[in-house]
Amino acid sequence: MLGADEAGKGPVLGPMVAAAVRADPAAIPDDVDDSKRLPPARREELDAALRDDDRVAVGVARVTVDRIDDPETDMNTLTVAGQAEALAAVARDGDRAVVDAGDVSESRFADRVAEAVAAGGGGTGTTAGGATGLAVDVTAEHGADESYPVVAAASVVAKVERDRVVAELDAAYRDRGYDGIGSGYPSDPNTREFLREFVAREGDLPECARTSWSTCDDVLAANEQSALGEF
């Protein structure tokens, strides 16, 4: 049984991360749940337990900010691509997968993921292993991470990987004299302050920013207005 989910659709900083878990149902910890319902420490424990279990295979795909900012694509397509690549890293021909639907139409999303897996994955660029040309029976449901333990497990892996990336970015920018980047979400005042300070100091957006997000437009416009006011 396989499950797939993603984390980080909405942040203005950093990649989106998709994960797939292929497991014997008995290998899924009893308390696994939608990652948003679990404290960070428990998510990390579950992630480690899943990765260390020989009965569990984990596939991860990062959808970079460059891909997210590509005007030729959209988040639904990238969610399909990310889940498909993660699934392709661990799936076997004839497997059945349940994925968290990233489209208003569950059946359409499922068909797109299955087609992308059959084509060799999503092409987002970072998996371990990865097979091509797989026929996988995909079912998509909204809230699948609340109904299927294997999807919840994928949700946990995706969230922990996304948090790991954000922590690495945070450390890198602290080394450059900033006070950290926050969670990366537009609603986070620490993230918005980081963006304001970076643009004020550097005159441009940081490499980790999704420049197509309206938050970035707002920060650039505010900086320009401030510069005009000083002039």
Side-chain angles (χ1 to χ4, degrees), residues 126-177:
T126 56
T127 61
T132 61
L134 294 168
V136 175
D137 179 12
V138 178
T139 299
E141 292 187 17
H142 296 124
D145 51 359
E146 300 173 10
S147 303
Y148 298 88
V150 73
V151 182
S155 170
V156 167
V157 172
K159 176 61 174 168
V160 171
E161 181 70 13
R162 158 79 191 174
D163 287 348
R164 186 177 296 123
V165 174
V166 171
E168 291 170 356
L169 289 170
D170 186 84
Y173 284 104
R174 286 182 185 275
D175 286 345
R176 294 171 61 176

Side-chain angles (χ1 to χ4, degrees), residues 41-54:
R42 185 54 186 153
R43 288 198 298 260
E44 292 176 6
E45 291 171 357
L46 288 167
D47 176 74
L50 290 164
R51 291 177 180 272
D52 290 343
D53 194 321
D54 291 340

Side-chain angles (χ1 to χ4, degrees), residues 6 15-20 59-64 81-87 124-128 161:
E6 78 289 323
M16 178 173 69
V17 176
V60 174
R62 293 185 187 180
V63 181
T64 66
Q83 289 193 10
E85 186 183 341
L87 285 167
T124 52
T126 56
T127 61
E161 181 70 13

Side-chain angles (χ1 to χ4, degrees), residues 65-118:
V65 295
D66 288 342
R67 283 186 60 87
I68 292 169
D69 288 333
D70 184 348
E72 299 300 317
T73 192
D74 57 70
M75 288 307 295
N76 275 4
T77 297
L78 291 172
T79 303
V80 167
Q83 289 193 10
E85 186 183 341
L87 285 167
V90 294
R92 297 179 186 175
D93 213 35
D95 274 347
R96 175 172 175 260
V98 179
V99 305
D100 195 60
D103 188 346
V104 293
S105 171
E106 295 170 327
S107 60
R108 177 173 60 197
F109 188 82
D111 289 345
R112 293 181 71 190
V113 171
E115 290 168 2
V117 173

